[in-house]
Amino acid sequence: MALTLWHTAQTHCATFDRLRDRIAPGLELRHVVRPEWLARSQGGVPADVAAEIASAAGQAEGPVLCTCTTIGPVAETVGALRVDWPMMQAAARLEGAILVAYALDSTRDVSLALLDRALEQEARHAEVRPLPLTQFWPLFEAGERMAFDASIAAGIREAARRVPGLGCVVLAQVSMAGAAPLLDDLAVPVLSAPDLALRAAAEM
């Protein structure tokens, strides 16, 4: 089976290749990298980007996984699996408040809406605390991954202390997944999208 992945950052190719080797070694991955989709969608996904996404869906053979949170809602309308959906489902099944960390403003509303959908599916109410960490995004854009991961982890660690009854932390973007291992000692689960999404896609 082949799985097509839509990325908006080249670095995600290696991330998912490593995951594939660990959890689904027989799975063929076809990477499509379109950074301009994200660049052009900071104020919402425009019609021309939506048209390009629809065209890409028509050309794909087999299932598609969209690894960009910002364009996820549009990708979903053409049949792609949103990378953050399995993660939001997992968060909705846990007890306690949910801290949603994000590093791009364009991620905020789509992530919170998807989490609301997952909570509704589980018939559960939870306190949801958005945590903007947008000041660190330039580090990711500059390729300073270690500094980006460390900054995201530090921001989450500080915020987590201020959330009573915290049940889990959600890393809203694939780009933030590197912060998860730095938070292993946190008292609650830290959920990142890539692993959960690839497992779900492999089962499609």
Side-chain angles (χ1 to χ4, degrees), residues 23-201:
I23 67 178
L27 183 63
E28 177 188 352
L29 301 184
R30 298 174 180 171
H31 300 288
V32 176
V33 183
R34 299 293 300 270
E36 71 276 12
W37 283 353
L38 176 59
R40 291 154 57 194
S41 300
Q42 291 304 296
V45 182
D48 57 343
V49 172
E52 291 173 21
I53 291 171
S55 176
Q59 298 170 26
E61 297 179 7
V64 176
L65 173 62
C66 177
T67 70
C68 176
T69 304
T70 297
I71 65 170
V74 173
E76 185 179 35
T77 66
V78 295
L81 173 66
R82 293 172 63 168
V83 71
D84 45 353
W85 176 235
M87 174 180 65
M88 295 305 189
Q89 289 177 300
R93 296 185 189 111
L94 296 172
E95 296 298 323
I98 303 171
L99 184 66
V100 180
Y102 60 95
L104 267 177
D105 285 327
S106 59
T107 297
R108 182 187 188 277
D109 290 347
V110 293
S111 295
L112 295 178
L114 192 64
L115 179 56
D116 283 346
R117 190 206 302 180
L119 287 166
E120 183 177 348
Q121 186 181 73
E122 293 295 319
R124 183 170 97 77
H125 172 75
E127 179 186 3
V128 176
R129 294 276 193 101
L131 175 62
L133 297 172
T134 54
Q135 68 271 33
F136 303 126
W137 185 247
L139 292 172
F140 180 83
E141 292 185 308
E144 300 288 341
R145 294 301 303 277
M146 291 182 64
F148 177 72
D149 294 342
S151 298
I152 294 296
I156 289 170
R157 191 180 299 279
E158 179 182 354
R161 292 196 292 264
R162 302 194 300 268
V163 182
L166 181 63
C168 69
V169 175
V170 166
L171 302 176
Q173 297 160 228
V174 169
S175 53
M176 304 170 78
L182 305 180
L183 295 165
D184 278 344
D185 60 333
L186 213 61
V188 298
V190 177
L191 305 178
S192 64
D195 187 295
L196 293 168
L198 192 60
R199 292 180 187 276

